[in-house]
């Protein structure tokens, strides 16, 4: 019995502890959401990093175009309000992560806020998500 337990623990350690990295928009979305994107989202760019820790520490950048209905539902389901406070783009942001001046910024302001922000261009419908969980 003890031997089986040791083998099981070794298998979990060896298969569950590896870093994830992607510069592919589809893979980024899948890592972040845990599923394929719905038909009303057109993925444009993505970047994802996840630590090897079991606590799922990650940083994610995503650029996409979605329907207004999807965007509003996303904000509502995740309780994300508009954000007018000062915010600085992270220094490790990819070069394509450039929300326009027409973008409205959203963010959750609570004790766990590490700087995650969500942007949507009011003219083009292009959205950007920067999400961090450490």
């Amino acid at each position: 019995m003890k031997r089986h337990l040791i083998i099981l623990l070794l298998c979990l350690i060896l298969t569950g502890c590896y870093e994830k990295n992607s510069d592919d928009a589809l893979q980024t979305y899948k890592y972040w959401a845990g599923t394929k994107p719905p038909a009303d989202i057109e993925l444009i760019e993505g970047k994802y990093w996840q630590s090897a820790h079991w606590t799922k520490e990650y940083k994610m950048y995503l650029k996409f175009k979605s329907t207004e209905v999807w965007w509003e539902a996303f904000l509502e389901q995740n309780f994300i309000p508009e954000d007018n406070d000062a915010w600085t783009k992270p220094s490790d942001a990819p070069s394509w992560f450039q929300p326009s001046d027409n973008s409205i910024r959203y963010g959750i302001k609570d004790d766990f806020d590490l700087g995650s922000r969500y942007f949507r261009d009011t003219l083009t419908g292009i959205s950007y998500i920067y999400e961090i969980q450490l």
Side-chain angles (χ1 to χ4, degrees), residues 9-76:
L9 287 174
L10 282 174
C11 287
L12 288 173
I13 289 170
L14 293 175
T15 60
C17 294
Y18 61 94
E19 191 174 277
K20 293 180 183 175
N21 283 293
S22 181
D23 288 320
D24 177 73
L26 178 59
Q27 191 65 51
T28 296
Y29 187 91
K30 286 180 181 179
Y31 282 149
W32 173 65
T35 185
K36 292 181 181 179
D40 49 356
I41 291 181
E42 174 192 342
L43 298 173
I44 301 169
E45 296 279 357
K47 182 177 180 177
Y48 187 89
W49 168 84
Q50 182 178 320
S51 74
H53 303 136
W54 58 272
T55 56
K56 194 175 180 183
E57 299 169 339
Y58 69 91
K59 282 187 176 184
M60 189 271 301
Y61 294 92
L62 193 63
K63 179 181 180 181
F64 62 97
K65 187 170 185 174
S66 69
T67 63
E68 182 73 23
V69 171
W70 185 91
W71 181 254
E72 291 299 326
F74 171 75
L75 294 176
E76 185 178 328

Side-chain angles (χ1 to χ4, degrees), residues 64 66 68 70-76 78-87 97 99 102-109 113 115-122 125-131:
F64 62 97
S66 69
E68 182 73 23
W70 185 91
W71 181 254
E72 291 299 326
F74 171 75
L75 294 176
E76 185 178 328
N78 293 287
F79 306 103
I80 303 173
E82 192 170 326
D83 174 35
N84 295 313
D85 294 342
W87 183 80
F97 192 84
N102 298 319
S103 294
I104 297 174
R105 187 177 67 231
Y106 302 85
I108 301 170
K109 296 171 219 143
D113 178 27
S116 297
R117 291 298 180 268
Y118 311 83
F119 303 83
R120 181 163 176 92
D121 187 300
T122 57
I126 299 290
S127 299
Y128 294 84
I129 294 178
Y130 165 64
E131 205 167 271

